[in-house]
């Protein structure tokens, strides 16, 4: 019964995609040229794809496209990595000059978008109505076309009479060598906050950020697995429990993901005998199948098989061109869309997209329909990748609460016990107040309820700095109790 419920829950999450936020797929370039050039779009708000020529739009897209709509499926804003447009298609207030670099300037001069797949994420700011956080990157020069910075910007929809504007722009999160794209996000186990993953280039390192009502902070910098990341596509399963990354040079890497701690584990590497270039990756709706594509081949990996390396080749390019040679309909970037199908771009400017019609099914039963989607204009491999905005909390888990760092069942007031920074890396500060001139104790329990640390507290002081060297990575419960019997508790996430 539990497994049936889990599958049903994932299904409900993806059916709810049609309720807005992630329903648009914008594409096309060389506006204002007439068909077969110019803007086109797919709207999945009603479930089935509505494909149309989007004559009102002036933004050109190359690879990168990111947008967000409201709960009714109405566009709020969108970007090609060079600037942000509001719902009218005009440049958003303060929405130009994002992603500062020589590469961005060159694309702007040519009236084009950035050539990055999954180089942008738009997330609702938790408990901040009308605010959105955009995490983004660009190639930072021409000769070395890879990011050196990861930025974030904040969009406030209350600005410009409700059309929105950027209130905080191009703030640096990372100054490091990064691969192009592969930015992904997953809901925290509390169902409110967000984990954002950005890999390092040419090493097996991952930056994991936490977005909460308190802001955007680095949660961990973890090295795991054997994949030296240079390019490719990454994705989370719809339930957020599995992360995968793939390209034909360093193959497929799969990790389990803890939505509570934001940490990876159980690294699995699958070598693929494929000399072709290209990349693409997506999970099936139930999260048990992974699809990876090279230029000529489409592979299916089954997480329920004892041996992940026992993969199936579910499609081989059928030699079709669109509209004619040399515009081959190869396999390239992938995305699971609200109708439950996986859509695949062609890696060329063509009128076509492929689909995997039954991606939860094993082997050839998944039914790959090559070049089955006909577009009104050329698409140069634009493929937006959205997080699962509708993923809820991990019901029954230790993080099934919005109380990380907040008092629970307390007779004290919020200002009298507070933990920061949270998550904690090497230490945290505990602010407390012990009433009635009574001393007390701080006790730290692990998730099994075992007492792991105990520290004396004195009523005459209100702050304690605690070093976390002896604590393993994970969630801990902090209990403060005065000798007079008053109790308060909070949670702290430790990530070294």
């Amino acid at each position: 019964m539990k497994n049936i419920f889990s599958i049903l829950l994932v299904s409900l999450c993806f059916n709810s995609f049609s309720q807005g936020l992630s329903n648009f797929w914008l594409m096309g370039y060389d506006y204002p040229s007439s068909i077969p050039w110019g803007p086109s779009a797919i709207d999945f708000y009603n479930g089935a794809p509505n494909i149309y020529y989007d004559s009102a739009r002036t933004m050109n897209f190359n690879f990168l496209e990111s947008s967000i709509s409201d709960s009714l499926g109405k566009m709020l804003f969108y970007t090609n990595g060079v600037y942000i447009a509001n719902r009218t298609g005009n440049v958003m207030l303060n929405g130009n000059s994002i992603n500062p670099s020589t590469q961005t300037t060159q694309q702007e001069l040519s009236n084009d978008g950035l050539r990055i797949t999954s180089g942008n994420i738009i997330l609702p700011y938790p408990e901040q109505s009308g605010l959105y956080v955009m995490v983004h990157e660009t190639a930072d020069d021409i000769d070395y076309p890879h990011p050196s910075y990861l930025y974030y910007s904040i969009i406030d929809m209350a600005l410009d009479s409700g059309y929105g504007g950027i209130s905080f722009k191009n703030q640096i999160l990372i100054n490091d060598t990064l691969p192009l794209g592969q930015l992904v996000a997953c809901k925290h186990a509390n169902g409110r906050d967000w984990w954002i993953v950005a890999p390092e280039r040419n090493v097996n390192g991952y930056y994991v950020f936490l977005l909460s009502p308190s802001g955007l902070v680095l949660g961990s910098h973890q090295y795991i697995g054997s994949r030296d990341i240079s390019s490719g596509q990454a994705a989370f399963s719809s339930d957020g429990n599995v992360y995968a990354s793939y390209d034909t040079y360093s193959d497929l890497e799969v990790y389990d993901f803890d939505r509570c701690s934001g940490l990876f584990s159980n690294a699995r590497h699958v070598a693929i005998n494929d000399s072709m270039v290209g990349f693409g990756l997506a999970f099936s709706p139930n999260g048990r199948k992974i699809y990876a594509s090279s230029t000529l081949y489409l592979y299916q990996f089954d997480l329920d098989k004892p041996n992940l390396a026992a993969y199936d080749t579910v499609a081989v390019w059928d030699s079709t061109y669109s509209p004619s040679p040399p515009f081959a309909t190869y396999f390239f970037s992938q995305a699971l869309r609200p109708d439950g199908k996986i859509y695949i771009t062609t890696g060329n400017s063509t009128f076509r997209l492929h689909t995997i019609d039954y991606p939860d099914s094993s082997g050839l039963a998944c039914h790959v329909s090559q070049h089955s989607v006909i577009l009104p204009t050329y698409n140069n491999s634009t493929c937006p990748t959205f997080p699962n905005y509708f993923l809820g909390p991990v019901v029954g888990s230790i993080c099934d609460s919005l109380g990380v760092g907040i008092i629970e069942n307390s007779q004290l007031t919020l200002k009298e016990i507070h933990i920061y920074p949270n998550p904690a890396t090497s230490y945290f500060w505990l602010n407390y107040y012990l009433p009635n001139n009574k001393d007390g104790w701080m006790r730290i329990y692990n998730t099994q309820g075992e007492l792991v640390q105990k520290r004396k507290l004195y009523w005459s002081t209100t702050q304690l700095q605690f070093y976390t060297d002896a604590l393993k990575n994970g969630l801990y419960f902090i209990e403060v109790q005065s000798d007079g019997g008053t109790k308060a508790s909070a949670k702290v996430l430790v990530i070294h």
Side-chain angles (χ1 to χ4, degrees):
M1 179 64 71
K2 183 177 179 181
N3 290 338
I4 294 174
F5 176 78
S6 299
I7 293 171
L8 176 61
L9 182 62
V10 171
S11 175
L12 288 174
C13 286
F14 269 83
N15 286 340
S16 63
F17 266 174
S18 61
Q19 300 302 310
L21 277 77
S22 56
N23 51 294
F24 282 106
W25 182 342
L26 309 179
M27 62 193 82
Y29 59 103
D30 276 359
Y31 182 90
S33 301
S34 59
I35 295 176
W37 304 99
S40 56
I42 307 178
D43 187 353
F44 290 91
Y45 180 72
N46 292 318
N50 175 27
I51 304 172
Y52 59 95
Y53 180 70
D54 191 10
S55 59
R57 176 165 48 85
T58 59
M59 180 181 285
N60 288 323
F61 294 103
N62 204 314
F63 281 30
L64 191 149
E65 185 263 288
S66 189
S67 68
I68 194 164
S69 56
D70 63 19
S71 60
L72 298 177
K74 304 299 182 183
M75 179 66 73
L76 292 176
F77 58 90
Y78 53 91
T79 180
N80 61 1
V82 175
Y83 71 97
I84 301 176
N86 61 29
R87 65 177 183 267
T88 68
N90 295 318
V91 178
M92 176 176 275
L93 178 68
N94 201 27
N96 54 4
S97 301
I98 61 173
N99 286 315
S101 74
T102 304
Q103 185 77 252
T104 304
T105 300
Q106 183 185 57
Q107 299 300 104
E108 184 176 20
L109 291 174
S110 61
N111 192 27
D112 205 352
L114 294 183
R115 296 181 60 85
I116 303 176
T117 300
S118 303
N120 202 91
I121 300 174
I122 300 172
L123 300 172
Y125 203 132
E127 295 188 353
Q128 305 289 332
S129 179
L131 293 186
Y132 295 85
V133 174
M134 187 174 78
V135 179
H136 49 102
E137 66 182 12
T138 181
D140 282 291
D141 58 52
I142 304 300
D143 298 325
Y144 186 69
H146 291 281
S148 299
Y149 301 95
L150 183 67
Y151 302 99
Y152 77 97
S153 300
I154 297 178
I155 293 91
D156 186 349
M157 293 307 299
L159 298 176
D160 196 20
S161 302
Y163 290 103
I166 300 183
S167 59
F168 208 57
K169 185 164 69 175
N170 294 333
Q171 300 300 303
I172 296 175
L173 279 173
I174 301 173
N175 180 3
D176 196 355
T177 305
L178 308 173
L180 285 172
Q182 301 191 64
L183 300 179
V184 293
C186 174
K187 274 283 185 70
H188 187 282
N190 62 22
R192 178 198 65 188
D193 303 336
W194 289 93
W195 297 109
I196 302 162
V197 177
E200 287 186 90
R201 176 174 165 80
N202 292 333
V203 294
N204 59 332
Y206 297 86
Y207 291 98
V208 181
F209 292 88
L210 178 65
L211 174 63
S212 73
S214 300
L216 187 58
V217 297
L218 179 63
S220 67
H221 185 193
Q222 184 180 3
Y223 291 90
I224 185 172
S226 58
R227 187 168 184 265
D228 293 340
I229 306 161
S230 59
S231 61
Q233 190 170 4
F236 275 107
S237 59
S238 56
D239 61 9
N241 293 328
V242 185
Y243 170 94
S245 178
Y246 166 81
D247 73 83
T248 53
Y249 294 107
S250 48
D251 302 316
L252 175 70
E253 197 100 335
V254 181
Y255 310 131
D256 292 341
F257 184 72
D258 188 333
R259 290 175 54 200
C260 185
S261 66
L263 295 174
F264 296 110
S265 62
N266 190 23
R268 287 149 285 173
H269 184 91
V270 180
I272 303 168
N273 185 22
D274 189 338
S275 60
M276 303 304 299
V277 296
F279 57 81
L281 181 141
F283 280 87
S284 63
N286 69 8
R288 305 313 300 165
K289 304 289 192 298
I290 299 172
Y291 292 88
S293 53
S294 70
T295 302
L296 301 181
Y297 303 99
L298 180 62
Y299 306 110
Q300 181 194 80
F301 302 83
D302 193 335
L303 291 171
D304 290 326
K305 288 183 177 180
N307 182 10
L308 191 60
Y311 58 87
D312 294 315
T313 301
V314 293
V316 179
W317 176 56
D318 64 3
S319 302
T320 297
Y321 296 86
S322 173
S324 59
F327 304 105
T329 57
Y330 294 138
F331 301 114
F332 194 54
S333 52
Q334 305 182 35
L336 176 62
R337 301 304 289 127
D339 60 355
K341 296 181 180 182
I342 292 174
Y343 287 70
I344 308 172
T345 66
T346 64
N348 282 309
S349 292
T350 71
F351 297 113
R352 304 284 180 152
L353 299 171
H354 313 289
T355 61
I356 305 174
D357 297 329
Y358 311 108
D360 286 334
S361 299
S362 298
L364 297 179
C366 70
H367 195 264
V368 179
S369 297
Q370 296 196 44
H371 47 80
S372 57
V373 178
I374 303 174
L375 304 172
T377 63
Y378 285 104
N379 174 41
N380 191 16
S381 297
T382 301
C383 185
T385 53
F386 296 95
N388 187 354
Y389 292 113
F390 305 97
L391 185 58
V394 180
V395 178
S397 80
I398 57 175
C399 284
D400 182 17
S401 166
L402 298 183
V404 176
I406 304 298
I407 292 176
E408 300 175 341
N409 303 319
S410 175
Q411 300 177 39
L412 305 181
T413 63
L414 180 61
K415 68 181 180 180
E416 293 160 352
I417 178 172
H418 183 64
I419 294 173
Y420 69 94
N422 193 358
T425 52
S426 58
Y427 68 89
F428 64 80
W429 287 97
L430 172 70
N431 283 0
Y432 63 92
Y433 168 71
L434 296 174
N436 304 320
N437 295 347
K438 298 285 187 179
D439 294 336
W441 295 90
M442 177 192 75
R443 296 179 177 89
I444 302 178
Y445 298 90
N446 62 22
T447 55
Q448 285 74 48
E450 299 167 336
L451 179 66
V452 295
Q453 290 282 339
K454 182 178 179 181
R455 185 71 60 86
K456 180 74 172 179
L457 301 177
Y458 299 94
W459 71 268
S460 56
T461 59
T462 60
Q463 189 176 66
L464 171 72
Q465 185 177 25
F466 183 86
Y467 287 90
T468 61
D469 310 62
L471 300 181
K472 298 178 181 179
N473 287 343
L475 187 73
Y476 292 88
F477 298 86
I478 310 298
E479 181 184 87
V480 173
Q481 183 173 16
S482 74
D483 291 339
T486 303
K487 228 184 238 192
S489 61
K491 300 173 186 174
V492 62
L493 184 63
V494 175
I495 305 176
H496 295 297

